[in-house]
Amino acid sequence: MITFLFRTIMYLASAGLGLIVADLVLEGFRIQWDQWWGFVICIVIFAILQSVLSPWIAKLADRYAPVLLGGIGIFSTLIALIVVVLLPIGGLRITDAVGWILGSVIVWIITAIGSVLLPMIFLKRKAQERRGR
C-alpha cells in the first residue's frame, strides 16, 4: 500500500512538472496561476486519465492498428489534455495548434522521465538513510 501511494505521488509530481515545463516553453500552453486550485485538480484528473487511457488505447491499437503502438503515450497524453482543458475548473488553457502538439509531446516526455527518475532519486535517498542508521 505504501509503495502504491509513493508511486502515485511520484506520478502526480511528474505530471505537474510536465505541465509546468510545457507552460514555460510554449506560448499557447498556459497554466492559470491565479486559479491554482484548478491547476491542482487538473494535475490529479490528468494523472488519473493518463493511467486509465494508456492501457485502454494500447489494447485498441493492438487489436485494430498495431503500427500505432509506439505512439500510445503521446496519444493518451493528448486525450487527457483535451479532457482537462474542456473541464470548467480552470487552471489550464491551450490556445493554438503548437501548444496542443508540442505540449502533448513535452508533457509526455517529462512525465515519462519523471516517472522513472523521481522514484530512483527518492528511493536511493531512503536507502542511504537506512544504511546510515
Side-chain angles (χ1 to χ4, degrees):
M1 184 65 177
I2 292 174
T3 303
F4 174 74
L5 183 60
F6 177 76
R7 291 196 182 277
T8 301
I9 291 169
M10 289 298 108
Y11 189 73
L12 288 170
S14 65
L17 187 61
L19 293 170
I20 290 170
V21 169
D23 175 56
L24 294 172
V25 173
L26 300 172
E27 284 293 319
F29 197 103
R30 286 286 144 234
I31 294 172
Q32 297 171 325
W33 292 106
D34 58 329
Q35 296 178 355
W36 62 269
W37 52 269
F39 178 62
V40 171
I41 293 171
C42 285
I43 292 171
V44 172
I45 292 172
F46 174 82
I48 291 169
L49 286 172
Q50 185 74 345
S51 298
V52 171
L53 288 172
S54 289
W56 182 70
I57 293 171
K59 185 187 288 187
L60 287 176
D62 187 39
R63 180 177 293 160
Y64 299 111
V67 173
L68 299 176
L69 281 174
I72 296 304
I74 296 172
F75 189 64
S76 62
T77 300
L78 176 64
I79 293 172
L81 284 174
I82 290 170
V83 171
V84 167
V85 168
L86 291 176
L87 291 175
I89 56 176
L92 181 67
R93 292 292 162 243
I94 304 173
T95 58
D96 60 9
V98 173
W100 283 107
I101 295 168
L102 288 179
S104 297
V105 172
I106 290 170
V107 171
W108 172 70
I109 289 171
I110 299 296
T111 302
I113 292 170
S115 294
V116 172
L117 292 181
L118 287 176
M120 287 180 10
I121 292 168
F122 285 103
L123 291 176
K124 186 176 180 179
R125 285 185 188 166
K126 190 107 172 154
Q128 288 175 347
E129 287 176 9
R130 285 185 183 172
R131 284 185 202 144
R133 290 181 189 170

Short mmCIF file of all heavy atoms in Angstrom, two decimals, residues 46-111:
data_model
loop_
_atom_site.label_atom_id
_atom_site.label_comp_id
_atom_site.label_asym_id
_atom_site.label_seq_id
_atom_site.Cartn_x
_atom_site.Cartn_y
_atom_site.Cartn_z
N PHE A 46 -5.64 14.77 -14.84
CA PHE A 46 -4.73 14.38 -15.92
C PHE A 46 -4.05 13.06 -15.59
O PHE A 46 -4.00 12.15 -16.43
CB PHE A 46 -3.68 15.47 -16.17
CG PHE A 46 -2.64 15.07 -17.15
CD1 PHE A 46 -2.88 15.18 -18.51
CD2 PHE A 46 -1.42 14.58 -16.73
CE1 PHE A 46 -1.93 14.79 -19.42
CE2 PHE A 46 -0.45 14.20 -17.64
CZ PHE A 46 -0.71 14.29 -18.99
N ALA A 47 -3.53 12.92 -14.38
CA ALA A 47 -2.83 11.70 -14.00
C ALA A 47 -3.77 10.49 -14.00
O ALA A 47 -3.39 9.41 -14.46
CB ALA A 47 -2.19 11.88 -12.62
N ILE A 48 -4.97 10.67 -13.50
CA ILE A 48 -5.95 9.57 -13.50
C ILE A 48 -6.30 9.17 -14.93
O ILE A 48 -6.29 7.99 -15.28
CB ILE A 48 -7.22 9.95 -12.71
CG1 ILE A 48 -6.90 10.07 -11.22
CG2 ILE A 48 -8.33 8.94 -12.94
CD1 ILE A 48 -8.00 10.69 -10.39
N LEU A 49 -6.60 10.17 -15.77
CA LEU A 49 -6.93 9.87 -17.16
C LEU A 49 -5.78 9.19 -17.88
O LEU A 49 -5.99 8.23 -18.62
CB LEU A 49 -7.31 11.16 -17.90
CG LEU A 49 -8.66 11.76 -17.58
CD1 LEU A 49 -8.82 13.12 -18.23
CD2 LEU A 49 -9.76 10.82 -18.04
N GLN A 50 -4.58 9.67 -17.67
CA GLN A 50 -3.41 9.09 -18.31
C GLN A 50 -3.24 7.63 -17.89
O GLN A 50 -2.95 6.77 -18.71
CB GLN A 50 -2.18 9.91 -17.94
CG GLN A 50 -0.93 9.49 -18.63
CD GLN A 50 -0.88 9.90 -20.08
OE1 GLN A 50 -1.87 10.27 -20.69
NE2 GLN A 50 0.29 9.81 -20.64
N SER A 51 -3.45 7.35 -16.62
CA SER A 51 -3.31 5.98 -16.11
C SER A 51 -4.38 5.05 -16.67
O SER A 51 -4.12 3.87 -16.91
CB SER A 51 -3.39 5.97 -14.59
OG SER A 51 -2.35 6.72 -14.05
N VAL A 52 -5.57 5.57 -16.87
CA VAL A 52 -6.68 4.75 -17.39
C VAL A 52 -6.61 4.64 -18.92
O VAL A 52 -6.84 3.56 -19.48
CB VAL A 52 -8.03 5.36 -16.95
CG1 VAL A 52 -9.19 4.68 -17.65
CG2 VAL A 52 -8.18 5.27 -15.45
N LEU A 53 -6.29 5.74 -19.59
CA LEU A 53 -6.32 5.75 -21.05
C LEU A 53 -5.20 4.95 -21.70
O LEU A 53 -5.42 4.31 -22.73
CB LEU A 53 -6.27 7.19 -21.57
CG LEU A 53 -7.52 8.02 -21.38
CD1 LEU A 53 -7.26 9.47 -21.76
CD2 LEU A 53 -8.67 7.46 -22.20
N SER A 54 -4.02 4.98 -21.13
CA SER A 54 -2.87 4.30 -21.76
C SER A 54 -3.12 2.82 -22.02
O SER A 54 -2.95 2.35 -23.14
CB SER A 54 -1.61 4.50 -20.94
OG SER A 54 -1.18 5.82 -21.03
N PRO A 55 -3.53 2.03 -21.02
CA PRO A 55 -3.77 0.62 -21.30
C PRO A 55 -4.96 0.39 -22.24
O PRO A 55 -4.92 -0.50 -23.09
CB PRO A 55 -4.07 0.00 -19.93
CG PRO A 55 -3.73 1.03 -18.92
CD PRO A 55 -3.66 2.34 -19.61
N TRP A 56 -5.99 1.21 -22.11
CA TRP A 56 -7.17 1.06 -22.96
C TRP A 56 -6.82 1.35 -24.42
O TRP A 56 -7.19 0.59 -25.32
CB TRP A 56 -8.27 2.00 -22.46
CG TRP A 56 -9.54 1.89 -23.22
CD1 TRP A 56 -10.41 0.84 -23.23
CD2 TRP A 56 -10.07 2.86 -24.12
NE1 TRP A 56 -11.47 1.12 -24.06
CE2 TRP A 56 -11.28 2.36 -24.63
CE3 TRP A 56 -9.65 4.12 -24.53
CZ2 TRP A 56 -12.06 3.06 -25.53
CZ3 TRP A 56 -10.42 4.82 -25.42
CH2 TRP A 56 -11.61 4.29 -25.91
N ILE A 57 -6.10 2.44 -24.66
CA ILE A 57 -5.71 2.79 -26.02
C ILE A 57 -4.73 1.76 -26.57
O ILE A 57 -4.77 1.41 -27.75
CB ILE A 57 -5.13 4.22 -26.08
CG1 ILE A 57 -6.24 5.23 -25.78
CG2 ILE A 57 -4.52 4.52 -27.44
CD1 ILE A 57 -5.76 6.65 -25.61
N ALA A 58 -3.85 1.26 -25.73
CA ALA A 58 -2.90 0.23 -26.17
C ALA A 58 -3.64 -1.03 -26.62
O ALA A 58 -3.27 -1.65 -27.63
CB ALA A 58 -1.92 -0.11 -25.04
N LYS A 59 -4.68 -1.39 -25.88
CA LYS A 59 -5.46 -2.57 -26.26
C LYS A 59 -6.16 -2.34 -27.60
O LYS A 59 -6.16 -3.22 -28.47
CB LYS A 59 -6.50 -2.89 -25.18
CG LYS A 59 -7.26 -4.18 -25.45
CD LYS A 59 -8.39 -4.40 -24.49
CE LYS A 59 -7.88 -4.78 -23.13
NZ LYS A 59 -8.97 -5.16 -22.21
N LEU A 60 -6.75 -1.16 -27.79
CA LEU A 60 -7.39 -0.85 -29.06
C LEU A 60 -6.39 -0.84 -30.22
O LEU A 60 -6.66 -1.38 -31.29
CB LEU A 60 -8.09 0.51 -28.99
CG LEU A 60 -9.37 0.58 -28.16
CD1 LEU A 60 -9.88 2.02 -28.12
CD2 LEU A 60 -10.42 -0.34 -28.75
N ALA A 61 -5.24 -0.23 -29.99
CA ALA A 61 -4.23 -0.17 -31.04
C ALA A 61 -3.70 -1.56 -31.37
O ALA A 61 -3.47 -1.87 -32.54
CB ALA A 61 -3.09 0.75 -30.62
N ASP A 62 -3.51 -2.37 -30.35
CA ASP A 62 -3.02 -3.73 -30.59
C ASP A 62 -4.01 -4.53 -31.43
O ASP A 62 -3.61 -5.30 -32.30
CB ASP A 62 -2.78 -4.42 -29.24
CG ASP A 62 -2.12 -5.77 -29.41
OD1 ASP A 62 -1.23 -5.89 -30.27
OD2 ASP A 62 -2.49 -6.70 -28.65
N ARG A 63 -5.28 -4.31 -31.20
CA ARG A 63 -6.31 -5.05 -31.92
C ARG A 63 -6.53 -4.51 -33.33
O ARG A 63 -6.64 -5.29 -34.28
CB ARG A 63 -7.62 -5.00 -31.14
CG ARG A 63 -8.76 -5.76 -31.85
CD ARG A 63 -10.02 -5.76 -31.07
NE ARG A 63 -9.82 -6.55 -29.84
CZ ARG A 63 -10.58 -6.46 -28.78
NH1 ARG A 63 -11.59 -5.63 -28.77
NH2 ARG A 63 -10.36 -7.20 -27.73
N TYR A 64 -6.61 -3.18 -33.49
CA TYR A 64 -7.02 -2.61 -34.76
C TYR A 64 -5.90 -1.93 -35.56
O TYR A 64 -6.01 -1.81 -36.77
CB TYR A 64 -8.13 -1.58 -34.53
CG TYR A 64 -9.36 -2.20 -33.92
CD1 TYR A 64 -9.72 -1.90 -32.62
CD2 TYR A 64 -10.13 -3.11 -34.62
CE1 TYR A 64 -10.84 -2.47 -32.04
CE2 TYR A 64 -11.25 -3.69 -34.05
CZ TYR A 64 -11.60 -3.37 -32.76
OH TYR A 64 -12.69 -3.95 -32.19
N ALA A 65 -4.84 -1.48 -34.91
CA ALA A 65 -3.77 -0.77 -35.61
C ALA A 65 -2.44 -0.96 -34.88
O ALA A 65 -1.95 -0.04 -34.24
CB ALA A 65 -4.12 0.70 -35.74
N PRO A 66 -1.83 -2.13 -34.99
CA PRO A 66 -0.60 -2.40 -34.25
C PRO A 66 0.54 -1.43 -34.57
O PRO A 66 1.43 -1.24 -33.76
CB PRO A 66 -0.22 -3.83 -34.70
CG PRO A 66 -1.44 -4.41 -35.29
CD PRO A 66 -2.30 -3.28 -35.75
N VAL A 67 0.49 -0.80 -35.72
CA VAL A 67 1.52 0.15 -36.10
C VAL A 67 1.55 1.34 -35.14
O VAL A 67 2.58 1.96 -34.93
CB VAL A 67 1.28 0.64 -37.55
CG1 VAL A 67 2.21 1.75 -37.94
CG2 VAL A 67 1.39 -0.53 -38.51
N LEU A 68 0.42 1.66 -34.53
CA LEU A 68 0.31 2.83 -33.66
C LEU A 68 0.77 2.58 -32.22
O LEU A 68 0.76 3.51 -31.42
CB LEU A 68 -1.15 3.32 -33.64
CG LEU A 68 -1.72 3.76 -34.98
CD1 LEU A 68 -3.18 4.13 -34.81
CD2 LEU A 68 -0.94 4.92 -35.54
N LEU A 69 1.19 1.38 -31.90
CA LEU A 69 1.54 1.07 -30.51
C LEU A 69 2.65 1.98 -29.96
O LEU A 69 2.66 2.29 -28.78
CB LEU A 69 1.95 -0.40 -30.37
CG LEU A 69 0.79 -1.38 -30.32
CD1 LEU A 69 1.29 -2.81 -30.33
CD2 LEU A 69 -0.07 -1.14 -29.10
N GLY A 70 3.57 2.42 -30.79
CA GLY A 70 4.65 3.29 -30.32
C GLY A 70 4.18 4.66 -29.87
O GLY A 70 4.81 5.30 -29.03
N GLY A 71 3.06 5.15 -30.40
CA GLY A 71 2.58 6.48 -30.06
C GLY A 71 1.50 6.52 -29.01
O GLY A 71 0.86 7.55 -28.81
N ILE A 72 1.29 5.43 -28.31
CA ILE A 72 0.22 5.34 -27.32
C ILE A 72 0.36 6.39 -26.23
O ILE A 72 -0.59 7.05 -25.85
CB ILE A 72 0.17 3.93 -26.69
CG1 ILE A 72 -0.17 2.90 -27.75
CG2 ILE A 72 -0.82 3.88 -25.54
CD1 ILE A 72 -1.44 3.14 -28.50
N GLY A 73 1.56 6.57 -25.70
CA GLY A 73 1.77 7.53 -24.62
C GLY A 73 1.45 8.95 -25.02
O GLY A 73 0.77 9.68 -24.29
N ILE A 74 1.90 9.35 -26.19
CA ILE A 74 1.63 10.71 -26.67
C ILE A 74 0.14 10.89 -26.93
O ILE A 74 -0.45 11.92 -26.58
CB ILE A 74 2.46 11.03 -27.92
CG1 ILE A 74 3.95 11.02 -27.58
CG2 ILE A 74 2.06 12.36 -28.53
CD1 ILE A 74 4.86 11.12 -28.77
N PHE A 75 -0.47 9.88 -27.55
CA PHE A 75 -1.89 9.97 -27.87
C PHE A 75 -2.75 10.04 -26.60
O PHE A 75 -3.67 10.85 -26.51
CB PHE A 75 -2.30 8.78 -28.75
CG PHE A 75 -3.69 8.90 -29.30
CD1 PHE A 75 -4.03 9.91 -30.18
CD2 PHE A 75 -4.67 7.99 -28.93
CE1 PHE A 75 -5.32 10.02 -30.68
CE2 PHE A 75 -5.96 8.09 -29.42
CZ PHE A 75 -6.28 9.11 -30.30
N SER A 76 -2.43 9.21 -25.62
CA SER A 76 -3.21 9.25 -24.37
C SER A 76 -2.96 10.56 -23.62
O SER A 76 -3.86 11.09 -22.96
CB SER A 76 -2.90 8.05 -23.48
OG SER A 76 -1.56 8.03 -23.10
N THR A 77 -1.75 11.13 -23.74
CA THR A 77 -1.46 12.43 -23.15
C THR A 77 -2.31 13.51 -23.81
O THR A 77 -2.89 14.36 -23.13
CB THR A 77 0.04 12.78 -23.28
OG1 THR A 77 0.81 11.80 -22.61
CG2 THR A 77 0.34 14.15 -22.70
N LEU A 78 -2.41 13.47 -25.13
CA LEU A 78 -3.23 14.45 -25.86
C LEU A 78 -4.69 14.34 -25.45
O LEU A 78 -5.35 15.36 -25.18
CB LEU A 78 -3.09 14.25 -27.37
CG LEU A 78 -3.97 15.13 -28.24
CD1 LEU A 78 -3.60 16.60 -28.07
CD2 LEU A 78 -3.86 14.73 -29.70
N ILE A 79 -5.22 13.14 -25.36
CA ILE A 79 -6.62 12.96 -24.95
C ILE A 79 -6.84 13.47 -23.53
O ILE A 79 -7.82 14.16 -23.25
CB ILE A 79 -7.06 11.49 -25.10
CG1 ILE A 79 -7.09 11.10 -26.57
CG2 ILE A 79 -8.43 11.26 -24.47
CD1 ILE A 79 -7.32 9.63 -26.82
N ALA A 80 -5.92 13.16 -22.63
CA ALA A 80 -6.04 13.62 -21.23
C ALA A 80 -5.99 15.15 -21.19
O ALA A 80 -6.76 15.78 -20.43
CB ALA A 80 -4.94 13.02 -20.37
N LEU A 81 -5.12 15.77 -21.99
CA LEU A 81 -5.05 17.23 -22.02
C LEU A 81 -6.35 17.83 -22.56
O LEU A 81 -6.84 18.84 -22.05
CB LEU A 81 -3.87 17.70 -22.88
CG LEU A 81 -2.49 17.58 -22.24
CD1 LEU A 81 -1.41 17.93 -23.26
CD2 LEU A 81 -2.37 18.45 -21.01
N ILE A 82 -6.91 17.22 -23.59
CA ILE A 82 -8.18 17.72 -24.15
C ILE A 82 -9.26 17.70 -23.08
O ILE A 82 -9.99 18.69 -22.90
CB ILE A 82 -8.61 16.88 -25.38
CG1 ILE A 82 -7.67 17.16 -26.55
CG2 ILE A 82 -10.05 17.16 -25.77
CD1 ILE A 82 -7.84 16.22 -27.74
N VAL A 83 -9.39 16.60 -22.36
CA VAL A 83 -10.42 16.49 -21.32
C VAL A 83 -10.19 17.53 -20.24
O VAL A 83 -11.12 18.23 -19.81
CB VAL A 83 -10.45 15.06 -20.73
CG1 VAL A 83 -11.34 15.01 -19.51
CG2 VAL A 83 -10.89 14.06 -21.77
N VAL A 84 -8.94 17.67 -19.77
CA VAL A 84 -8.64 18.61 -18.69
C VAL A 84 -8.92 20.04 -19.11
O VAL A 84 -9.47 20.83 -18.33
CB VAL A 84 -7.17 18.43 -18.21
CG1 VAL A 84 -6.74 19.57 -17.33
CG2 VAL A 84 -7.02 17.12 -17.48
N VAL A 85 -8.57 20.40 -20.34
CA VAL A 85 -8.80 21.77 -20.81
C VAL A 85 -10.30 22.04 -20.98
O VAL A 85 -10.76 23.15 -20.72
CB VAL A 85 -8.03 22.02 -22.12
CG1 VAL A 85 -8.47 23.31 -22.78
CG2 VAL A 85 -6.53 22.08 -21.85
N LEU A 86 -11.07 21.04 -21.39
CA LEU A 86 -12.50 21.24 -21.60
C LEU A 86 -13.30 21.30 -20.29
O LEU A 86 -14.41 21.82 -20.29
CB LEU A 86 -13.06 20.12 -22.49
CG LEU A 86 -12.61 20.16 -23.95
CD1 LEU A 86 -13.16 18.96 -24.70
CD2 LEU A 86 -13.01 21.46 -24.62
N LEU A 87 -12.73 20.81 -19.21
CA LEU A 87 -13.44 20.88 -17.92
C LEU A 87 -13.54 22.33 -17.46
O LEU A 87 -12.60 23.11 -17.64
CB LEU A 87 -12.70 20.07 -16.86
CG LEU A 87 -12.72 18.56 -17.05
CD1 LEU A 87 -11.83 17.89 -16.00
CD2 LEU A 87 -14.12 18.01 -16.97
N PRO A 88 -14.66 22.70 -16.87
CA PRO A 88 -14.86 24.11 -16.46
C PRO A 88 -14.20 24.46 -15.12
O PRO A 88 -14.68 25.33 -14.41
CB PRO A 88 -16.38 24.21 -16.37
CG PRO A 88 -16.83 22.85 -16.00
CD PRO A 88 -15.86 21.90 -16.68
N ILE A 89 -13.09 23.80 -14.79
CA ILE A 89 -12.45 24.07 -13.50
C ILE A 89 -11.35 25.13 -13.60
O ILE A 89 -10.86 25.61 -12.59
CB ILE A 89 -11.85 22.78 -12.90
CG1 ILE A 89 -10.86 22.13 -13.88
CG2 ILE A 89 -12.93 21.82 -12.49
CD1 ILE A 89 -10.15 20.92 -13.35
N GLY A 90 -10.95 25.48 -14.81
CA GLY A 90 -9.86 26.44 -14.96
C GLY A 90 -8.53 25.79 -14.63
O GLY A 90 -8.44 24.59 -14.41
N GLY A 91 -7.49 26.59 -14.64
CA GLY A 91 -6.18 26.07 -14.29
C GLY A 91 -5.27 25.84 -15.47
O GLY A 91 -4.08 26.01 -15.36
N LEU A 92 -5.83 25.45 -16.63
CA LEU A 92 -5.00 25.16 -17.79
C LEU A 92 -5.74 25.55 -19.07
O LEU A 92 -6.91 25.21 -19.24
CB LEU A 92 -4.65 23.67 -17.82
CG LEU A 92 -3.76 23.20 -18.96
CD1 LEU A 92 -2.36 23.80 -18.82
CD2 LEU A 92 -3.66 21.68 -18.96
N ARG A 93 -5.05 26.26 -19.93
CA ARG A 93 -5.61 26.65 -21.23
C ARG A 93 -4.56 26.41 -22.31
O ARG A 93 -3.39 26.75 -22.14
CB ARG A 93 -6.00 28.12 -21.26
CG ARG A 93 -7.18 28.45 -20.38
CD ARG A 93 -8.47 27.82 -20.92
NE ARG A 93 -9.47 27.78 -19.89
CZ ARG A 93 -9.99 26.66 -19.39
NH1 ARG A 93 -9.62 25.50 -19.80
NH2 ARG A 93 -10.91 26.69 -18.45
N ILE A 94 -5.00 25.83 -23.43
CA ILE A 94 -4.14 25.64 -24.59
C ILE A 94 -4.84 26.33 -25.76
O ILE A 94 -5.98 26.01 -26.07
CB ILE A 94 -3.91 24.15 -24.89
CG1 ILE A 94 -3.33 23.46 -23.65
CG2 ILE A 94 -2.98 23.98 -26.09
CD1 ILE A 94 -3.20 21.96 -23.76
N THR A 95 -4.13 27.29 -26.38
CA THR A 95 -4.81 28.17 -27.32
C THR A 95 -4.44 27.99 -28.79
O THR A 95 -5.11 28.55 -29.64
CB THR A 95 -4.53 29.65 -26.96
OG1 THR A 95 -3.12 29.87 -26.98
CG2 THR A 95 -5.09 29.97 -25.58
N ASP A 96 -3.39 27.25 -29.10
CA ASP A 96 -3.04 27.09 -30.52
C ASP A 96 -2.57 25.67 -30.82
O ASP A 96 -2.35 24.87 -29.92
CB ASP A 96 -1.98 28.12 -30.94
CG ASP A 96 -0.68 28.03 -30.16
OD1 ASP A 96 -0.51 27.07 -29.39
OD2 ASP A 96 0.16 28.92 -30.33
N ALA A 97 -2.42 25.37 -32.11
CA ALA A 97 -2.05 24.02 -32.54
C ALA A 97 -0.67 23.63 -32.02
O ALA A 97 -0.45 22.48 -31.63
CB ALA A 97 -2.09 23.93 -34.06
N VAL A 98 0.25 24.57 -31.99
CA VAL A 98 1.59 24.28 -31.49
C VAL A 98 1.52 23.89 -30.01
O VAL A 98 2.19 22.95 -29.57
CB VAL A 98 2.54 25.49 -31.69
CG1 VAL A 98 3.88 25.26 -31.03
CG2 VAL A 98 2.72 25.77 -33.17
N GLY A 99 0.69 24.59 -29.26
CA GLY A 99 0.51 24.27 -27.85
C GLY A 99 -0.04 22.86 -27.67
O GLY A 99 0.39 22.13 -26.78
N TRP A 100 -0.99 22.48 -28.52
CA TRP A 100 -1.57 21.15 -28.42
C TRP A 100 -0.57 20.07 -28.79
O TRP A 100 -0.41 19.08 -28.07
CB TRP A 100 -2.81 21.03 -29.31
CG TRP A 100 -4.01 21.68 -28.75
CD1 TRP A 100 -4.58 22.84 -29.16
CD2 TRP A 100 -4.79 21.23 -27.63
NE1 TRP A 100 -5.67 23.14 -28.37
CE2 TRP A 100 -5.83 22.17 -27.44
CE3 TRP A 100 -4.71 20.13 -26.79
CZ2 TRP A 100 -6.77 22.02 -26.43
CZ3 TRP A 100 -5.66 19.99 -25.80
CH2 TRP A 100 -6.68 20.93 -25.63
N ILE A 101 0.11 20.25 -29.91
CA ILE A 101 1.01 19.19 -30.41
C ILE A 101 2.28 19.11 -29.57
O ILE A 101 2.60 18.06 -29.01
CB ILE A 101 1.34 19.43 -31.89
CG1 ILE A 101 0.06 19.29 -32.73
CG2 ILE A 101 2.39 18.46 -32.38
CD1 ILE A 101 0.17 19.78 -34.14
N LEU A 102 3.01 20.22 -29.48
CA LEU A 102 4.25 20.20 -28.72
C LEU A 102 4.00 20.06 -27.22
O LEU A 102 4.80 19.45 -26.50
CB LEU A 102 5.09 21.46 -28.99
CG LEU A 102 5.73 21.52 -30.38
CD1 LEU A 102 6.52 22.81 -30.54
CD2 LEU A 102 6.61 20.32 -30.63
N GLY A 103 2.89 20.61 -26.75
CA GLY A 103 2.53 20.46 -25.34
C GLY A 103 2.35 18.99 -24.98
O GLY A 103 2.83 18.54 -23.94
N SER A 104 1.67 18.24 -25.83
CA SER A 104 1.48 16.81 -25.59
C SER A 104 2.82 16.08 -25.55
O SER A 104 3.05 15.24 -24.68
CB SER A 104 0.61 16.19 -26.68
OG SER A 104 -0.67 16.76 -26.67
N VAL A 105 3.69 16.42 -26.49
CA VAL A 105 5.00 15.76 -26.54
C VAL A 105 5.83 16.10 -25.30
O VAL A 105 6.43 15.22 -24.68
CB VAL A 105 5.75 16.14 -27.84
CG1 VAL A 105 7.18 15.63 -27.83
CG2 VAL A 105 5.01 15.62 -29.07
N ILE A 106 5.87 17.38 -24.96
CA ILE A 106 6.66 17.81 -23.79
C ILE A 106 6.14 17.18 -22.51
O ILE A 106 6.90 16.65 -21.70
CB ILE A 106 6.67 19.35 -23.68
CG1 ILE A 106 7.51 19.95 -24.82
CG2 ILE A 106 7.20 19.81 -22.32
CD1 ILE A 106 7.38 21.46 -24.95
N VAL A 107 4.83 17.24 -22.30
CA VAL A 107 4.25 16.66 -21.09
C VAL A 107 4.51 15.16 -21.04
O VAL A 107 4.87 14.61 -20.00
CB VAL A 107 2.74 16.97 -20.99
CG1 VAL A 107 2.09 16.21 -19.85
CG2 VAL A 107 2.52 18.47 -20.82
N TRP A 108 4.38 14.48 -22.18
CA TRP A 108 4.62 13.04 -22.24
C TRP A 108 6.07 12.72 -21.90
O TRP A 108 6.34 11.83 -21.09
CB TRP A 108 4.26 12.52 -23.63
CG TRP A 108 4.66 11.10 -23.83
CD1 TRP A 108 4.10 9.99 -23.25
CD2 TRP A 108 5.72 10.63 -24.66
NE1 TRP A 108 4.75 8.86 -23.68
CE2 TRP A 108 5.74 9.22 -24.55
CE3 TRP A 108 6.64 11.25 -25.48
CZ2 TRP A 108 6.66 8.44 -25.23
CZ3 TRP A 108 7.55 10.47 -26.17
CH2 TRP A 108 7.56 9.09 -26.04
N ILE A 109 7.02 13.45 -22.48
CA ILE A 109 8.44 13.19 -22.23
C ILE A 109 8.80 13.44 -20.77
O ILE A 109 9.43 12.61 -20.11
CB ILE A 109 9.33 14.05 -23.16
CG1 ILE A 109 9.24 13.54 -24.59
CG2 ILE A 109 10.79 14.04 -22.70
CD1 ILE A 109 9.91 14.44 -25.62
N ILE A 110 8.38 14.60 -20.24
CA ILE A 110 8.72 14.94 -18.85
C ILE A 110 8.06 13.96 -17.88
O ILE A 110 8.68 13.51 -16.90
CB ILE A 110 8.30 16.39 -18.51
CG1 ILE A 110 9.03 17.38 -19.40
CG2 ILE A 110 8.52 16.69 -17.03
CD1 ILE A 110 10.53 17.41 -19.23
N THR A 111 6.82 13.58 -18.15
CA THR A 111 6.13 12.63 -17.28
C THR A 111 6.81 11.26 -17.32
O THR A 111 6.99 10.62 -16.28
CB THR A 111 4.65 12.51 -17.68
OG1 THR A 111 4.05 13.80 -17.61
CG2 THR A 111 3.89 11.58 -16.76
#
